[in-house]
Amino acid sequence: MLRSWVIKTMNGAMAHPRWARWLNFLRLSATVVFIALAVRAVQWQKMADALRHTSLFVAIGAAVVYAVLQCLSATRWWSIAKASKMPLSWKDAVAAFYVGMFFNLFLPGLVGGDAVRALLAAQVTSHSAASSFGIVYADRTVGFIAMLLVGLWGAIALHLTQRQLIWQPLLFGAVFAIGVTAIIVALFSAIGRWGKGVWAQRIGRFANGIVAFLARPQTGAFVFAIALAYHLSLTANLMMLGKASGIHGQPFAAYAMVVAIATVIGSLPISLHGLGVRELASVKLWAMLGVPAEVAMLWALLWRVMVWLVSLPGGLVYLLWADKTLWQSLENWRVATASRSNG
């Protein structure tokens, strides 16, 4: 019941239900196609051999480190929230962050869990939901820009910036993260300032939530430093996972490039959660560096499984911490909003 309501609300808010169903059907079809392509991209007997030589101990260690890194990522979000005058405690930020990761496993798209943590933060702090969404958007954008910079450094260090598969995703990511965000902030701020009605106010609060933390340069620098530290640490962790899966002799710069570009490509709204897309991108990128397809695919799959496993405790956090009356409150908010719109 919870899952069906969330999906209906997320899709219904953005599009007509019929179009939403068709969109989800097309993405599901694309997911099947890309998974099939990923299956055909490797020889599974060779991949099974690579799996047998994988260090389970190192893989578990990488998962533990990844879980700790999510606390650092939650700290980045919490810092932005505090600068935006949201009275969110660090413990609640970490809890909401893990709940969001858990719901990302089930909600359509790559940011469904972000919507959940934005709503949870608004609920526990009585803060504006629109502003909370803007704060989460800011957190995502800062992290994305830091990841692009780390990836660009890796590509430059490897002298691969001329390759189309390298520069195009980096350029696309930069245009989206910086250019599109700037347009959104400018447009939404104007609507909030000059528009009338409840929705104009909410749009303005959303835009303010994106940029409020930049009012103090020290806060902006601190948040970006956390983002850089997170992505450098994540790259080092995935390098450890790569060595466990059989990728040997590749420098840190190689992982920095592959992680960033595979993430950008996997973020494209083609398949559900980037399934198959990120894995194929990883195989193509590692092939430029002489890594066999089977080893590259194993690394990409271990990366995905690691994320899934670390996200699962978010379900327990939800049961113990996030009062389920939240969803009734959201339903009441949805009904009230619909009534005002119809009125």
Side-chain angles (χ1 to χ4, degrees):
M1 180 177 178
L2 170 63
R3 180 186 174 191
S4 63
W5 181 86
V6 172
I7 294 176
K8 180 180 178 182
T9 302
M10 294 292 179
N11 289 334
M14 299 301 297
H16 190 279
R18 180 178 298 177
W19 288 107
R21 286 196 294 270
W22 273 108
L23 179 61
N24 286 332
F25 172 76
L26 290 174
R27 294 188 67 192
L28 179 61
S29 301
T31 302
V32 173
V33 170
F34 277 101
I35 290 177
L37 290 173
V39 169
R40 295 188 60 180
V42 299
Q43 297 182 32
W44 288 88
Q45 183 57 49
K46 291 184 178 180
M47 190 168 165
D49 293 338
L51 180 60
R52 281 194 292 270
H53 290 90
T54 299
S55 172
L56 180 61
F57 178 77
V58 175
I60 293 174
V64 172
V65 172
Y66 182 76
V68 174
L69 285 176
Q70 301 320 297
C71 296
L72 181 61
S73 193
T75 301
R76 182 186 66 214
W77 172 46
W78 171 75
S79 300
I80 295 173
K82 294 292 286 184
S84 304
K85 302 189 185 311
M86 174 186 278
L88 182 67
S89 70
W90 184 80
K91 288 183 179 180
D92 285 347
V94 173
F97 195 89
Y98 264 93
V99 172
M101 288 178 62
F102 174 75
F103 277 96
N104 249 345
L105 298 177
F106 306 106
L107 295 181
L110 292 173
V111 296
D114 287 340
V116 171
R117 68 167 158 129
L119 292 168
L120 277 171
Q123 176 77 5
V124 301
T125 61
S126 299
H127 193 77
S128 163
S131 175
S132 184
F133 272 92
I135 291 168
V136 169
Y137 183 97
D139 172 58
R140 274 287 192 175
T141 302
V142 170
F144 197 75
I145 292 172
M147 180 194 70
L148 290 175
L149 288 176
V150 173
L152 177 61
W153 167 80
I156 292 173
L158 296 171
H159 307 289
L160 290 174
T161 51
Q162 300 298 320
R163 299 287 188 93
Q164 197 172 44
L165 185 59
I166 304 300
W167 69 262
Q168 282 188 349
L170 291 174
L171 178 62
F172 170 81
V175 168
F176 179 82
I178 300 174
V180 174
T181 298
I183 293 172
I184 289 174
V185 170
L187 179 61
F188 283 19
S189 295
I191 292 174
R193 184 178 299 110
W194 305 109
K196 297 181 179 179
V198 175
W199 280 105
Q201 295 175 7
R202 288 175 179 165
I203 289 172
R205 286 196 291 267
F206 173 78
N208 184 66
I210 297 176
V211 298
F213 78 101
L214 295 174
R216 295 184 60 191
Q218 302 94 322
T219 302
F222 177 70
V223 167
F224 193 71
I226 293 177
L228 277 176
Y230 171 81
H231 282 289
L232 289 171
S233 301
L234 175 63
T235 300
N237 194 43
L238 289 173
M239 184 175 184
M240 180 169 64
L241 191 66
K243 291 181 177 180
S245 58
I247 300 177
H248 301 297
Q250 295 296 335
F252 182 83
Y255 286 90
M257 182 191 75
V258 173
V259 170
I261 296 175
T263 300
V264 172
I265 295 175
S267 299
L268 296 174
I270 301 172
S271 67
L272 296 174
H273 303 287
L275 283 169
V277 177
R278 193 175 75 182
E279 285 73 19
L280 279 174
S282 298
V283 170
K284 295 293 184 181
L285 290 164
W286 279 121
M288 293 182 179
L289 302 170
V291 176
E294 291 74 21
V295 175
M297 180 65 75
L298 177 60
W299 173 80
L301 291 176
L302 288 176
W303 177 11
R304 186 172 292 279
V305 171
M306 179 180 70
V307 173
W308 285 347
L309 290 177
V310 172
S311 300
L312 288 177
L316 180 61
V317 174
Y318 169 74
L319 292 175
L320 297 176
W321 173 76
D323 192 335
K324 291 184 181 180
T325 57
L326 164 70
W327 303 106
Q328 184 59 49
S329 299
L330 294 176
E331 177 67 15
N332 295 338
W333 174 80
R334 185 184 68 84
V335 172
T337 301
S339 299
R340 283 194 293 268
S341 299
N342 294 332

